[in-house]
Amino acid sequence: MQDRHGGQRLFGTTEELARQTERTREITKQAVELLRQPVPDTFLGRKTQEPFPREEQGPMPKPQRG
């Protein structure tokens, strides 16, 4: 929005500032909630479950090609 001298206005309307302030508070609240969560474990070698038990017969036979 321009003023009567053709320059840009530095601030918007009171309603616009109130909307921006509320949005900033929402974003900050979400960021704080996210930062309170524990850090995820991204180590790829960690075993988070027990492996499947092996069959008593041994390893599976290889598929035959032909």
Side-chain angles (χ1 to χ4, degrees), residues 37-56:
Q37 295 181 5
V39 177
D41 182 12
T42 58
F43 179 63
L44 296 176
R46 191 171 321 282
K47 294 182 179 180
T48 58
Q49 61 187 15
E50 293 295 320
F52 290 112
R54 291 195 157 246
E55 296 286 331
E56 293 179 15

Side-chain angles (χ1 to χ4, degrees), residues 1-56:
M1 181 176 252
Q2 294 185 349
D3 64 12
R4 65 180 181 197
H5 300 290
Q8 291 286 329
R9 289 180 57 180
L10 296 178
F11 300 104
T13 63
T14 304
E15 294 84 17
E16 182 181 345
L17 289 174
R19 281 194 303 271
Q20 290 175 359
T21 302
E22 183 60 31
R23 180 67 181 137
T24 302
R25 288 180 178 156
E26 290 174 13
I27 292 170
T28 304
K29 181 181 174 183
Q30 291 173 356
V32 168
E33 290 173 3
L34 181 64
L35 290 171
R36 286 185 178 153
Q37 295 181 5
V39 177
D41 182 12
T42 58
F43 179 63
L44 296 176
R46 191 171 321 282
K47 294 182 179 180
T48 58
Q49 61 187 15
E50 293 295 320
F52 290 112
R54 291 195 157 246
E55 296 286 331
E56 293 179 15

